Amino acid sequence: MVFSSGRHFLQIPGPTNVPDRVLRAMNRPTIDHRCSEFARLSLEVLEGLKRIFQTSAPVIVYPSSGTGAWEAALVNTLSAGDKILMFETGHFATLWRNLAKDLGLEVDFLPGDWRHGVDAKALEKTLTEDGAHAIKAVGVVHNETSTGVTTRIPEIRKAIDRAGHPALLMVDTISSLASSDYRHEEWGVDVAVGCSQKGLMLPPGLGLNAISEKARQASKSARLKKSFWAWEPVLAANKSGFFPYTPPTNLLYGLQEAIRILEEEELRNVFARHDRHAEATRRAVRAWGLKILCADPEEYSSSLTAVLMPEGHDADDLRGVILENFNMSLGTGLGKVKGKVFRIGHLGDFNDLMLAGTLSGVEMGLALAGIPSSKGGVAEALDYLQSTRKGKINR
Ligand SMILES: Cc1ncc(COP(=O)(O)O)c(C=O)c1O
């Protein structure tokens, strides 16, 4: 193992860099999860999460990865044999579909090319044709982390409303929450799935469900088997700041600090920062002469950029060269795009110079790996970052 000085660059699209403030907040003695001090902590974070999801309805926190929160969304609202409409936007949409099938749901999976988000027109057509309302839920990945494509959820909501269909709307916000604008209540989402290790800047270990009153009502008649994932016992215990099992106390300390950090910056500034870093990244990619996987500029992701490799070159070889030479991890291609793309994560605790370092590592790596590409991507990005710097002094 070659010794690497300095800090590792963790530029995968999650887990993201954990800020020192969050690390320090977690570095405390674990307390009794049945004492009043714990109740104060959990009541604060449960309220804070509502503000992050932009909802007044409860948010449920599980000691789990995001996959657990996917399962919780389904088992709490649906019954065996129920139909759910899902969309092949990429690897994570496919995994969620597989999970739904494993649970005994009937999945209608509309095909996609992994370069676009959910087609709202196709959704509306499918729902309009479902006059008997056999479809009980629509499951959409907001930001497809495998492709860097963001579906516009308000368009999805409008399509469901135009079809006059009562299906529940479930949205995976795993790599959009606290990075891109997400308005749970205003956008009429019934269950949002989230987790800790992306925009919330925490280590992995927390799975989240933001729910709506309609979803809670649906949970009363949902018959899929559940015990650990059941919302009601958690909601009942959460009222007084407790959990029906031993909660991940130190992650909750971290979450408390992460919410404070996000609110100090203010969510609208957090989103603007992500948009700006994403745009700078895309400018670099174009200057290198490479292509962005996301085919529609309206659907560009602010959390990550997936970059297509020139024909005949393997993305994982490039990632290996960059890791070995510059101690930087970039996201691998997943599923159908394995080897064909690498992903630059620009979400979470991130700033202009971290992006400059990231793009420098990619530019040097492209040259070292002999990938046909041009220089000048970093310069393009720096020009953009400099010209859009708030508070810049024009002399
Ligand atoms: C969009 C999306 N959904 C779901 C998941 C699964 O989450 P986890 O790996 O935490 O179980 C991920 C993981 O990266 C993701 O990006």
Side-chain angles (χ1 to χ4, degrees), residues 65-67 70 92 141 143 145 172 174-175 195 197-198:
S65 80
T67 302
W70 264 346
F92 291 103
V141 176
N143 185 72
T145 323
D172 172 334
I174 284 189
S175 58
C195 72
Q197 72 268 23
K198 313 258 183 190

Side-chain angles (χ1 to χ4, degrees), residues 46-60 182-189 209-213 216 235:
L46 292 170
E47 275 309 306
L49 280 175
K50 289 187 195 172
R51 298 191 296 275
I52 301 296
F53 276 101
Q54 306 194 47
T55 180
S56 57
V59 179
I60 291 153
Y182 174 75
R183 307 178 191 186
H184 187 74
E185 200 156 282
E186 187 184 320
W187 294 353
V189 179
N209 274 177
I211 64 177
S212 69
E213 188 46 40
R216 202 165 172 186
L235 289 170

Side-chain angles (χ1 to χ4, degrees), residues 96-175:
W96 199 13
R97 183 276 309 257
N98 294 348
L99 191 151
K101 276 171 75 178
D102 287 348
L103 292 172
L105 296 170
E106 197 191 311
V107 188
D108 196 353
F109 198 46
L110 298 196
D113 65 358
W114 290 45
R115 299 195 69 177
H116 292 86
V118 173
D119 179 348
K121 285 206 180 78
L123 162 72
E124 185 178 341
K125 184 168 176 288
T126 308
L127 291 184
T128 306
E129 285 166 3
D130 178 37
H133 297 165
I135 296 168
K136 300 296 175 211
V138 171
V140 174
V141 176
H142 186 198
N143 185 72
E144 185 38 91
T145 323
S146 61
T147 62
V149 176
T150 305
T151 288
R152 282 154 295 167
I153 302 300
E155 300 298 313
I156 299 301
R157 179 72 260 168
K158 278 189 217 143
I160 298 174
D161 293 345
R162 271 197 304 268
H165 200 287
L168 294 167
L169 174 58
M170 302 194 189
V171 177
D172 172 334
T173 68
I174 284 189
S175 58

Side-chain angles (χ1 to χ4, degrees), residues 60-65 67-69 71-72 75-76 205 207 209 225-235 243-248:
I60 291 153
V61 181
Y62 297 104
S64 79
S65 80
T67 302
E71 179 159 339
V75 295
N76 276 287
N209 274 177
K225 288 222 180 324
K226 60 194 157 292
S227 173
F228 177 76
W229 301 116
W231 287 341
E232 282 308 321
V234 183
L235 289 170
F243 285 79
Y245 43 70
T246 312

Side-chain angles (χ1 to χ4, degrees), residues 134-339:
I135 296 168
K136 300 296 175 211
V138 171
V140 174
V141 176
H142 186 198
N143 185 72
E144 185 38 91
T145 323
S146 61
T147 62
V149 176
T150 305
T151 288
R152 282 154 295 167
I153 302 300
E155 300 298 313
I156 299 301
R157 179 72 260 168
K158 278 189 217 143
I160 298 174
D161 293 345
R162 271 197 304 268
H165 200 287
L168 294 167
L169 174 58
M170 302 194 189
V171 177
D172 172 334
T173 68
I174 284 189
S175 58
S176 56
L177 188 71
S179 305
S180 299
D181 198 4
Y182 174 75
R183 307 178 191 186
H184 187 74
E185 200 156 282
E186 187 184 320
W187 294 353
V189 179
D190 295 300
V191 190
V193 174
C195 72
S196 50
Q197 72 268 23
K198 313 258 183 190
L200 287 177
M201 310 176 290
L202 293 161
L206 297 180
L208 309 170
N209 274 177
I211 64 177
S212 69
E213 188 46 40
K214 184 173 162 189
R216 202 165 172 186
Q217 285 311 319
S219 77
K220 307 242 154 85
S221 53
R223 289 290 161 261
L224 277 179
K225 288 222 180 324
K226 60 194 157 292
S227 173
F228 177 76
W229 301 116
W231 287 341
E232 282 308 321
V234 183
L235 289 170
N238 279 177
K239 267 198 182 141
S240 46
F242 298 110
F243 285 79
Y245 43 70
T246 312
T249 308
N250 289 56
L251 276 172
L252 297 180
Y253 279 139
L255 179 58
Q256 181 182 44
E257 191 66 15
I259 293 170
R260 285 177 185 169
I261 293 173
L262 289 166
E263 293 192 325
E264 278 170 31
E265 185 175 0
E266 295 182 31
L267 279 184
R268 64 195 165 93
N269 297 325
V270 171
F271 304 146
R273 168 166 59 81
H274 282 77
D275 292 345
R276 186 169 157 272
H277 287 155
E279 175 59 26
T281 304
R282 292 190 293 267
R283 286 178 185 228
V285 174
R286 288 190 200 107
W288 292 326
L290 300 179
K291 290 208 160 52
I292 296 163
L293 181 63
C294 177
D296 180 354
E298 297 276 341
E299 297 182 324
Y300 281 149
S301 166
S302 290
S303 305
L304 75 136
T305 302
V307 184
L308 275 160
M309 292 296 284
E311 204 60 46
H313 294 271
D314 189 291
D316 288 338
D317 292 344
L318 171 67
R319 288 175 53 254
V321 167
I322 291 172
L323 178 62
E324 196 180 318
N325 287 280
F326 305 114
N327 193 19
M328 175 163 74
S329 295
L330 295 170
T332 187
L334 294 165
K336 280 190 188 172
V337 290
K338 177 93 190 140

